[in-house]
Amino acid sequence: ATLQEIQDSGSIRIAVANEIPYGYVDPNGEAMGAGPDVAKAIMEKLGVENIEWVTTNFSSLIPGLQADRFDMVAAEMAILPDRCQQVLFSEPNSSYGEGLLVAAGNPKDIHAYSDFAENPDLKVAIMAGADQLEMMQKLGVDEANLVTIAANADAISTVSTGRADAYAATSLTASGLAGQNDGVEVAGEFTDPVIDGEEVRSWGGFTFASGNEELRDAVNEALAEFKATPEWSETLMGYGFTQADVDGSGHKTTEELCAAE
Amino acid sequence: MLFGYEWDLSSPLAFAVSILPILLTGMLVTIQATVVGFLVALVLGLVLAVLKAAPSRLIAWPARVVTEFIRDTPLLVQLFFLYYVLPEYGIVLPAFMTGALALGIQYSAYTSEVYRAGLEAVGTDQREAARALSFSPTHTFTHVVVPQAIPRIVPAMGNYLVSIMKDVPVLSVVTVLEMLNVAKIVGDRTFDYLVPLSMVGALYLIMTLVASSGVRLLDNWLPKQGIPLK
Amino acid sequence: MHWTEYFPPLLQGAWVTVQLTVYSTILGAALAFIFGIGKLSTNWAIKGVSVAYIEVFRGTSLLVQLFWLYFALPLAGMAMGIDLRLPPVVAGVLALGLNIGAYGAEVVRGAIQSVHTDQHEAARALNFTPRQTLWNVTIPQAIPEMMPSFGNLAVQNLKDTALVSLISLGDLTFRAEQIRNFTQDSTTIYSMLLLTYFGMALVLTVIMRGLESYVSRWRTARS
Amino acid sequence: MTDDPIIKFDQVVKRFGDLTVLNKLDFEVKKGEKVSIIGPSGSGKSTVLRILMTLEGIEGGVVTVGGEPLWHEKAADGSLKPASEAHLRKMRTQLGMVFQQFNLFPHMTVLRNITEAPIKVLGLSKKEAKQRGEELLELVGLADQAHKYPHQLSGGQQQRVGIARALAMRPNILLFDEPTSALDPELVGEVLNVIGKLAEEHDLTMLLVTHEMRFAREISDRVCFFDRGKIREEGAPEELFTDPSEERTREFLKAVLD
Amino acid sequence: MTDDPIIKFDQVVKRFGDLTVLNKLDFEVKKGEKVSIIGPSGSGKSTVLRILMTLEGIEGGVVTVGGEPLWHEKAADGSLKPASEAHLRKMRTQLGMVFQQFNLFPHMTVLRNITEAPIKVLGLSKKEAKQRGEELLELVGLADQAHKYPHQLSGGQQQRVGIARALAMRPNILLFDEPTSALDPELVGEVLNVIGKLAEEHDLTMLLVTHEMRFAREISDRVCFFDRGKIREEGAPEELFTDPSEERTREFLKAVLD
Ligand SMILES: Nc1ncnc2c1ncn2[C@@H]1O[C@H](COP(=O)(O)OP(=O)(O)OP(=O)(O)O)[C@@H](O)[C@H]1O
Ligand SMILES: Nc1ncnc2c1ncn2[C@@H]1O[C@H](COP(=O)(O)OP(=O)(O)OP(=O)(O)O)[C@@H](O)[C@H]1O
Ligand SMILES: [Mg+2]
Ligand SMILES: [Mg+2]
């Protein structure tokens, strides 16, 4: 729907992908996470009273926007050039680094994404549609050693049962999952992947269907206002983001991120 | 790129041609899962059929309940159960094996009925004739009952083989890289689902057609002189 | 989360599953009649379309059909300039109904063919039109013939609804997955899930049996 | 009974694949006449009735019913062309048929078996049809069975419903194809009684294929002996049964009367 | 024919649920004797044969075959205890049975139907069994049908194979349960011929349940009339057929001979 339609009806459909802490819906249907909380504040500013939350697989977020199944995605999806060709991104809301979830005790002694390229016996799980795939490909990890899972939550079982030796995700996701189960932990002494000579850091933003620039611009405006308040950094840090993550959010613009490469 | 094959997005046709080898890699897994699942269903179904026919109610009745339970619950949920619950009890099977096992279990409920119907259709008159000729029970079973049951069992089993093949895509939810999963990954990465998913549909039509014809050929080839069918 | 707290979300999901089952079974039954009768048509175009429908939907996997409707159809629509973006519920009901309808069509065809030619001759002798014969003579007699197979298909359909969880429809399985994402309590949640489906299937079976004896009451009426 | 032939077979040929069942059959029935057809199995007796009831087509010759060709229509230039379905529908309204296996509709009550066609085909109102149906059930002695289903009746009762059903369409011509041969011996009488009553009291033209020689003799104006798709001999029942002129007829009668 | 009873029923009781089919039956057959059993449907005729063939157990009394109890074994202390499967297996080898519905194995050729049991049960070599099988096919007049499957034969031929199959096990006693009643009338003769030939030329003890009275009369040494699980009357065929002493027998014969 267009901004006009949304404001007229006072209702917007926002999707999350069930990733703690970026965006998720608890079993009672209450949306939580860095994305949804900020989105709620923005919608309040835009005068939209009612948010209809949609949960879907991460890999369905972009197709879902294209298919008009929702108006906006609040999943802190990383802003990547490829994706910019498919959908519109707001300015970054957050930034986050990478992490690894491994079995308790880290039996395979894994500390970096590049380990999977160097040791072809190791299998690494990634989520369908997530940007870790691109990183692995750039690092030269063999396709056969990638285990594609459908949802974050499957990672615990996948890693703790040894179906994959590690799960590559953002540091926040990894620590969130590690906190849920004793069979897994966050890989210690983690070395951030370096790709094309740069340490990987991702910037997450809100996502819109291409052509819906008005809505994006309105969200950008409201987001900029909100980011200027202390409420914003409190929200993010409440979900485990570090001060560095919060500061990092302002280091790049979407334009820069989309144009990279 | 997937499995070492690059795709070519210049036109739908070029895209289709370029991802065909990728889909065929997935098809191979589909076929493997079908075959393994079918074999499991054949064995497990026979076990269930024998248990259900057991003279003791203490055995027959639970076997019947188990069959009904398997038959009435979704393959997807059974698969989740095997994939996520068994490891909690220390049984960790690779995804492919878990999937094939789930298929086999689901279909064992159906194959057990096929066995039962096939064996029951061999009438008591045949068993009595064998008894009057002093055949041993084993000989009666292997040389009188089974040869007459086979022509009745084979076509029904063949139909279930085809059904299993159509259920293999469910295994994609536990990371098995069968054809649909592969197509879905291609779609996720290219944002074009139309071509890969349509190709999977077409390839499925071909596979089921070939499999059904194979079953029919096998059925025609089987000797069934005078054995009353149906 | 205590396991008793699983009930409210699971019940919400179960209600969605029930609705999906009902809608898609009704859609499937309608399609089964249309194309089952169509396959017997003497008009080659109608017959051809019916055969094609039945073969395509029986020859491909339900999950492929579901994904195609959900992911591929909007793109096909875009290419043609038509908006074919179906909401998940519609895609789910449509995929389930189309799939079960193709199987049902074969049942309908078989049952119609099982009605004896005697009956057609009697109808012709009474000057019924072919259409009147079909609706007043053949189909009422074929329906009891179909019911046992329809019962099996309905249970099959109930089981198949679990697949719609994969296109993010909040059915029973989807809710269970959501809870597992939170709690990682696989054993409890999947056991409850299996039992719920089993219970629903049993209820459905009883309903279908009741329906069967209702439509075949003329066979069993006693003097 | 008048002299107009209401039914006329003129050089009619009927084949099933290689088998020629009727080979240039000539055959006439006058209005109001009661004709019995007898003959060995496979001689084409049923085929004659089925052609009249438009259940089987013909390969040659012309059949006329009430002076109009049955399986043909007159084209604009006066020549005959194969009948359209509409023509057959129109012609069929003149005929009714009683089947060997009754062929009742098992899913309808007795009364609905009788009223369905008048309502749907003749367009009678439900009330009218019901009243007429009840009269007919009275006629065949089943007034009290109106709301039963066919399988709840004996064979003899079912066949009487079959007769009532055919009569409900008010045909001019009533065809009976061995109406009693699917019945247990003790039930034959009640059906023959009803047919006999019809023959006596109504002006219907009746064509009856039967193996009940005694009955054929009683009710028929004429008996035709069929053999291999031809009428071998025909005549008044007294003559044909007591003093057949053909050897073949004599043999047949001897076999069935023994 | 000697005077030893090769078959003896001593106060045998047989029940199916509540229904007592044989009520303290006494019955003897001497070695080499040909006995026909006649009687109304449900009187227990088949049951007698099926008990002998060990297809049905008994609830009371003792059956002896060749002097040894069939359904019992002598325990160490001389008392009788129910027979083990091994005992039944041993006893069964003395008997052969020809079934009403032939019960041939449809998936085996005619010759294999006959040789299967001699090879697998008696342990004959294939060559021996085949030779013997061919002799038997000669005997029943089917030497040229050895390699056909049962469904390719007429009913009469199938039943003759059934007889050859039973004979292949070299039984002392041959049981026939209405061997011709599933056959079309024109095929009955060829089967009766074979049975008659056997009766004449062999020293077999034969027990024949039949409705073919004329045939029973010809070949039997003795005819037993069964009624409600009892032997009502027995005797030489001439006596029993021409001058039965019991009213019940007379009625039965009158009904079947008409
Ligand atoms: N639909 C058909 N297809 C092939 N042959 C047929 C068909 N209907 C009838 N016939 C053959 O046509 C011949 C005449 O059949 P018809 O039924 O008219 O004989 P009938 O005189 O009524 O015999 P019956 O006394 O046995 O009823 C028979 O040889 C029969 O086998
Ligand atoms: N397996 C069974 N279970 C129950 N009742 C049986 C069974 N077998 C036979 N009977 C009953 O036992 C009675 C005697 O049966 P049997 O077959 O010995 O009769 P028969 O004299 O051979 O009759 P027929 O001439 O009809 O063959 C019948 O009333 C029959 O219904
Ligand atoms: Mg006839
Ligand atoms: Mg008997």
Side-chain angles (χ1 to χ4, degrees), chain E residues 14-17 19-22 39-48 50 56 100 177-178 209 211 226:
Chain E
K14 169 73 197 168
R15 290 194 203 90
F16 287 114
L19 180 79
T20 302
V21 178
L22 302 183
S41 183
S43 57
K45 308 182 297 295
S46 298
T47 304
V48 166
R50 291 170 58 80
E56 301 281 1
Q100 179 170 1
D177 191 2
E178 305 194 20
V209 174
H211 288 303
F226 262 66

mmCIF file of all heavy atoms in Angstrom, chain E residues 14-17 19-22 39-48 50 56 100 177-178 209 211 226, ligand 2:
data_model
loop_
_atom_site.group_PDB
_atom_site.id
_atom_site.type_symbol
_atom_site.label_atom_id
_atom_site.label_comp_id
_atom_site.label_asym_id
_atom_site.label_seq_id
_atom_site.Cartn_x
_atom_site.Cartn_y
_atom_site.Cartn_z
ATOM 1 N N LYS E 14 -18.906 -82.835 16.710
ATOM 2 C CA LYS E 14 -18.306 -81.673 16.051
ATOM 3 C C LYS E 14 -19.268 -80.503 16.176
ATOM 4 O O LYS E 14 -20.440 -80.627 15.834
ATOM 5 C CB LYS E 14 -18.042 -81.992 14.569
ATOM 6 C CG LYS E 14 -17.668 -80.778 13.726
ATOM 7 C CD LYS E 14 -16.280 -80.319 14.022
ATOM 8 C CE LYS E 14 -15.998 -78.915 13.539
ATOM 9 N NZ LYS E 14 -14.747 -78.399 14.084
ATOM 10 N N ARG E 15 -18.767 -79.390 16.684
ATOM 11 C CA ARG E 15 -19.624 -78.205 16.811
ATOM 12 C C ARG E 15 -18.997 -77.018 16.076
ATOM 13 O O ARG E 15 -17.785 -76.897 16.002
ATOM 14 C CB ARG E 15 -19.753 -77.797 18.293
ATOM 15 C CG ARG E 15 -20.559 -78.764 19.114
ATOM 16 C CD ARG E 15 -20.941 -78.155 20.468
ATOM 17 N NE ARG E 15 -21.215 -79.252 21.381
ATOM 18 C CZ ARG E 15 -20.310 -79.848 22.161
ATOM 19 N NH1 ARG E 15 -19.069 -79.403 22.191
ATOM 20 N NH2 ARG E 15 -20.632 -80.870 22.926
ATOM 21 N N PHE E 16 -19.880 -76.167 15.534
ATOM 22 C CA PHE E 16 -19.434 -74.839 15.086
ATOM 23 C C PHE E 16 -20.148 -73.846 15.965
ATOM 24 O O PHE E 16 -21.347 -73.608 15.783
ATOM 25 C CB PHE E 16 -19.810 -74.590 13.627
ATOM 26 C CG PHE E 16 -18.980 -75.364 12.641
ATOM 27 C CD1 PHE E 16 -19.560 -76.361 11.856
ATOM 28 C CD2 PHE E 16 -17.629 -75.117 12.506
ATOM 29 C CE1 PHE E 16 -18.804 -77.068 10.952
ATOM 30 C CE2 PHE E 16 -16.870 -75.821 11.591
ATOM 31 C CZ PHE E 16 -17.449 -76.803 10.824
ATOM 32 N N GLY E 17 -19.447 -73.308 16.941
ATOM 33 C CA GLY E 17 -20.114 -72.410 17.888
ATOM 34 C C GLY E 17 -21.237 -73.153 18.582
ATOM 35 O O GLY E 17 -21.012 -74.180 19.215
ATOM 36 N N LEU E 19 -23.777 -74.498 17.052
ATOM 37 C CA LEU E 19 -24.370 -75.501 16.172
ATOM 38 C C LEU E 19 -23.633 -76.822 16.284
ATOM 39 O O LEU E 19 -22.441 -76.909 16.021
ATOM 40 C CB LEU E 19 -24.297 -74.986 14.722
ATOM 41 C CG LEU E 19 -24.862 -75.892 13.649
ATOM 42 C CD1 LEU E 19 -26.376 -75.801 13.618
ATOM 43 C CD2 LEU E 19 -24.280 -75.513 12.290
ATOM 44 N N THR E 20 -24.351 -77.874 16.699
ATOM 45 C CA THR E 20 -23.734 -79.200 16.747
ATOM 46 C C THR E 20 -23.975 -79.882 15.410
ATOM 47 O O THR E 20 -25.113 -80.205 15.060
ATOM 48 C CB THR E 20 -24.333 -80.040 17.884
ATOM 49 O OG1 THR E 20 -24.137 -79.320 19.097
ATOM 50 C CG2 THR E 20 -23.653 -81.386 17.982
ATOM 51 N N VAL E 21 -22.897 -80.065 14.667
ATOM 52 C CA VAL E 21 -23.051 -80.601 13.313
ATOM 53 C C VAL E 21 -23.008 -82.122 13.334
ATOM 54 O O VAL E 21 -23.804 -82.795 12.672
ATOM 55 C CB VAL E 21 -21.965 -80.025 12.379
ATOM 56 C CG1 VAL E 21 -22.083 -80.620 11.001
ATOM 57 C CG2 VAL E 21 -22.085 -78.513 12.327
ATOM 58 N N LEU E 22 -22.063 -82.668 14.076
ATOM 59 C CA LEU E 22 -22.040 -84.131 14.248
ATOM 60 C C LEU E 22 -22.307 -84.418 15.722
ATOM 61 O O LEU E 22 -21.625 -83.892 16.602
ATOM 62 C CB LEU E 22 -20.683 -84.709 13.847
ATOM 63 C CG LEU E 22 -20.213 -84.442 12.418
ATOM 64 C CD1 LEU E 22 -18.885 -85.153 12.145
ATOM 65 C CD2 LEU E 22 -21.267 -84.876 11.401
ATOM 66 N N GLY E 39 -27.269 -87.079 1.166
ATOM 67 C CA GLY E 39 -28.074 -86.448 2.201
ATOM 68 C C GLY E 39 -28.288 -84.985 1.903
ATOM 69 O O GLY E 39 -27.616 -84.425 1.050
ATOM 70 N N PRO E 40 -29.250 -84.384 2.607
ATOM 71 C CA PRO E 40 -29.582 -82.988 2.321
ATOM 72 C C PRO E 40 -28.446 -82.028 2.664
ATOM 73 O O PRO E 40 -27.532 -82.384 3.412
ATOM 74 C CB PRO E 40 -30.816 -82.719 3.194
ATOM 75 C CG PRO E 40 -30.787 -83.773 4.242
ATOM 76 C CD PRO E 40 -30.091 -84.954 3.668
ATOM 77 N N SER E 41 -28.559 -80.827 2.140
ATOM 78 C CA SER E 41 -27.567 -79.796 2.394
ATOM 79 C C SER E 41 -27.499 -79.476 3.881
ATOM 80 O O SER E 41 -28.518 -79.414 4.555
ATOM 81 C CB SER E 41 -27.962 -78.545 1.610
ATOM 82 O OG SER E 41 -26.999 -77.560 1.787
ATOM 83 N N GLY E 42 -26.291 -79.298 4.392
ATOM 84 C CA GLY E 42 -26.119 -78.948 5.798
ATOM 85 C C GLY E 42 -26.175 -80.127 6.744
ATOM 86 O O GLY E 42 -26.116 -79.960 7.960
ATOM 87 N N SER E 43 -26.247 -81.344 6.207
ATOM 88 C CA SER E 43 -26.398 -82.497 7.100
ATOM 89 C C SER E 43 -25.056 -82.949 7.678
ATOM 90 O O SER E 43 -25.006 -83.837 8.516
ATOM 91 C CB SER E 43 -27.068 -83.646 6.359
ATOM 92 O OG SER E 43 -26.319 -83.981 5.215
ATOM 93 N N GLY E 44 -23.954 -82.364 7.234
ATOM 94 C CA GLY E 44 -22.662 -82.713 7.821
ATOM 95 C C GLY E 44 -21.804 -83.615 6.958
ATOM 96 O O GLY E 44 -20.777 -84.131 7.413
ATOM 97 N N LYS E 45 -22.158 -83.784 5.703
ATOM 98 C CA LYS E 45 -21.416 -84.674 4.820
ATOM 99 C C LYS E 45 -19.983 -84.180 4.611
ATOM 100 O O LYS E 45 -19.019 -84.924 4.809
ATOM 101 C CB LYS E 45 -22.116 -84.782 3.450
ATOM 102 C CG LYS E 45 -23.585 -85.132 3.527
ATOM 103 C CD LYS E 45 -24.236 -85.281 2.153
ATOM 104 C CE LYS E 45 -24.243 -84.017 1.308
ATOM 105 N NZ LYS E 45 -25.058 -82.917 1.863
ATOM 106 N N SER E 46 -19.888 -82.919 4.203
ATOM 107 C CA SER E 46 -18.546 -82.377 3.992
ATOM 108 C C SER E 46 -17.741 -82.415 5.271
ATOM 109 O O SER E 46 -16.536 -82.660 5.257
ATOM 110 C CB SER E 46 -18.618 -80.926 3.522
ATOM 111 O OG SER E 46 -19.288 -80.849 2.298
ATOM 112 N N THR E 47 -18.415 -82.151 6.370
ATOM 113 C CA THR E 47 -17.712 -82.104 7.650
ATOM 114 C C THR E 47 -16.998 -83.416 7.935
ATOM 115 O O THR E 47 -15.862 -83.423 8.431
ATOM 116 C CB THR E 47 -18.714 -81.731 8.756
ATOM 117 O OG1 THR E 47 -19.337 -80.498 8.409
ATOM 118 C CG2 THR E 47 -18.029 -81.600 10.093
ATOM 119 N N VAL E 48 -17.640 -84.517 7.637
ATOM 120 C CA VAL E 48 -17.009 -85.821 7.861
ATOM 121 C C VAL E 48 -15.705 -85.923 7.079
ATOM 122 O O VAL E 48 -14.659 -86.308 7.613
ATOM 123 C CB VAL E 48 -17.985 -86.957 7.459
ATOM 124 C CG1 VAL E 48 -17.258 -88.291 7.342
ATOM 125 C CG2 VAL E 48 -19.115 -87.044 8.461
ATOM 126 N N ARG E 50 -13.916 -83.450 5.902
ATOM 127 C CA ARG E 50 -12.952 -82.442 6.330
ATOM 128 C C ARG E 50 -12.276 -82.823 7.647
ATOM 129 O O ARG E 50 -11.110 -82.505 7.875
ATOM 130 C CB ARG E 50 -13.631 -81.064 6.442
ATOM 131 C CG ARG E 50 -14.036 -80.511 5.055
ATOM 132 C CD ARG E 50 -14.925 -79.285 5.156
ATOM 133 N NE ARG E 50 -14.271 -78.228 5.910
ATOM 134 C CZ ARG E 50 -13.340 -77.417 5.392
ATOM 135 N NH1 ARG E 50 -12.969 -77.561 4.136
ATOM 136 N NH2 ARG E 50 -12.781 -76.502 6.148
ATOM 137 N N GLU E 56 -10.643 -79.898 9.815
ATOM 138 C CA GLU E 56 -11.452 -79.469 10.954
ATOM 139 C C GLU E 56 -11.131 -80.375 12.127
ATOM 140 O O GLU E 56 -10.965 -81.586 11.938
ATOM 141 C CB GLU E 56 -12.964 -79.621 10.660
ATOM 142 C CG GLU E 56 -13.487 -78.858 9.468
ATOM 143 C CD GLU E 56 -13.711 -77.385 9.736
ATOM 144 O OE1 GLU E 56 -13.430 -76.944 10.871
ATOM 145 O OE2 GLU E 56 -14.149 -76.678 8.811
ATOM 146 N N GLN E 100 -14.634 -79.851 -4.185
ATOM 147 C CA GLN E 100 -15.734 -79.428 -5.050
ATOM 148 C C GLN E 100 -15.294 -78.342 -6.030
ATOM 149 O O GLN E 100 -15.615 -78.394 -7.208
ATOM 150 C CB GLN E 100 -16.846 -78.881 -4.140
ATOM 151 C CG GLN E 100 -18.054 -78.386 -4.886
ATOM 152 C CD GLN E 100 -19.204 -78.079 -3.930
ATOM 153 O OE1 GLN E 100 -19.083 -78.213 -2.715
ATOM 154 N NE2 GLN E 100 -20.336 -77.707 -4.488
ATOM 155 N N ASP E 177 -15.343 -84.637 -2.308
ATOM 156 C CA ASP E 177 -16.462 -83.831 -1.800
ATOM 157 C C ASP E 177 -17.216 -83.202 -2.965
ATOM 158 O O ASP E 177 -16.815 -82.169 -3.487
ATOM 159 C CB ASP E 177 -15.949 -82.739 -0.856
ATOM 160 C CG ASP E 177 -17.086 -82.065 -0.102
ATOM 161 O OD1 ASP E 177 -18.246 -82.477 -0.295
ATOM 162 O OD2 ASP E 177 -16.821 -81.141 0.687
ATOM 163 N N GLU E 178 -18.307 -83.842 -3.346
ATOM 164 C CA GLU E 178 -19.099 -83.374 -4.500
ATOM 165 C C GLU E 178 -18.202 -82.968 -5.655
ATOM 166 O O GLU E 178 -18.212 -81.800 -6.073
ATOM 167 C CB GLU E 178 -19.992 -82.199 -4.080
ATOM 168 C CG GLU E 178 -20.870 -82.558 -2.904
ATOM 169 C CD GLU E 178 -21.982 -81.542 -2.684
ATOM 170 O OE1 GLU E 178 -22.300 -80.796 -3.620
ATOM 171 O OE2 GLU E 178 -22.537 -81.536 -1.578
ATOM 172 N N VAL E 209 -18.792 -87.974 -1.353
ATOM 173 C CA VAL E 209 -20.028 -87.220 -1.126
ATOM 174 C C VAL E 209 -20.524 -86.783 -2.491
ATOM 175 O O VAL E 209 -19.766 -86.190 -3.260
ATOM 176 C CB VAL E 209 -19.769 -85.977 -0.256
ATOM 177 C CG1 VAL E 209 -21.034 -85.135 -0.153
ATOM 178 C CG2 VAL E 209 -19.288 -86.385 1.117
ATOM 179 N N HIS E 211 -24.173 -85.865 -5.221
ATOM 180 C CA HIS E 211 -25.603 -85.771 -5.511
ATOM 181 C C HIS E 211 -25.947 -86.570 -6.763
ATOM 182 O O HIS E 211 -27.087 -86.539 -7.210
ATOM 183 C CB HIS E 211 -26.007 -84.311 -5.701
ATOM 184 C CG HIS E 211 -26.017 -83.536 -4.428
ATOM 185 N ND1 HIS E 211 -26.781 -83.926 -3.345
ATOM 186 C CD2 HIS E 211 -25.358 -82.428 -4.038
ATOM 187 C CE1 HIS E 211 -26.596 -83.067 -2.354
ATOM 188 N NE2 HIS E 211 -25.723 -82.158 -2.744
ATOM 189 N N PHE E 226 -27.091 -89.431 5.130
ATOM 190 C CA PHE E 226 -26.859 -88.560 6.279
ATOM 191 C C PHE E 226 -28.037 -87.622 6.462
ATOM 192 O O PHE E 226 -28.576 -87.087 5.496
ATOM 193 C CB PHE E 226 -25.610 -87.694 6.037
ATOM 194 C CG PHE E 226 -24.381 -88.225 6.675
ATOM 195 C CD1 PHE E 226 -23.852 -89.430 6.242
ATOM 196 C CD2 PHE E 226 -23.750 -87.530 7.694
ATOM 197 C CE1 PHE E 226 -22.704 -89.932 6.823
ATOM 198 C CE2 PHE E 226 -22.604 -88.023 8.283
ATOM 199 C CZ PHE E 226 -22.073 -89.229 7.856
HETATM 200 N N1 LIG F 2 -16.646 -73.140 9.281
HETATM 201 C C1 LIG F 2 -17.928 -73.238 9.655
HETATM 202 N N2 LIG F 2 -18.406 -72.393 10.583
HETATM 203 C C2 LIG F 2 -19.702 -72.459 10.991
HETATM 204 N N3 LIG F 2 -20.584 -73.348 10.532
HETATM 205 C C3 LIG F 2 -20.160 -74.235 9.602
HETATM 206 C C4 LIG F 2 -18.822 -74.204 9.112
HETATM 207 N N4 LIG F 2 -18.681 -75.202 8.203
HETATM 208 C C5 LIG F 2 -19.899 -75.802 8.127
HETATM 209 N N5 LIG F 2 -20.778 -75.233 8.971
HETATM 210 C C6 LIG F 2 -22.188 -75.634 9.169
HETATM 211 O O1 LIG F 2 -22.191 -76.993 9.478
HETATM 212 C C7 LIG F 2 -23.302 -77.627 8.906
HETATM 213 C C8 LIG F 2 -22.856 -78.848 8.116
HETATM 214 O O2 LIG F 2 -22.012 -78.400 7.077
HETATM 215 P P1 LIG F 2 -21.504 -79.355 5.914
HETATM 216 O O3 LIG F 2 -20.693 -78.484 5.009
HETATM 217 O O4 LIG F 2 -20.840 -80.508 6.492
HETATM 218 O O5 LIG F 2 -22.849 -79.767 5.191
HETATM 219 P P2 LIG F 2 -23.029 -80.656 3.875
HETATM 220 O O6 LIG F 2 -23.811 -81.827 4.279
HETATM 221 O O7 LIG F 2 -21.723 -80.855 3.219
HETATM 222 O O8 LIG F 2 -23.945 -79.717 3.003
HETATM 223 P P3 LIG F 2 -23.855 -79.368 1.440
HETATM 224 O O9 LIG F 2 -24.552 -80.441 0.718
HETATM 225 O O10 LIG F 2 -24.564 -78.049 1.377
HETATM 226 O O11 LIG F 2 -22.372 -79.237 1.103
HETATM 227 C C9 LIG F 2 -24.008 -76.609 8.050
HETATM 228 O O12 LIG F 2 -25.127 -76.150 8.784
HETATM 229 C C10 LIG F 2 -22.983 -75.502 7.897
HETATM 230 O O13 LIG F 2 -23.626 -74.253 7.848
#
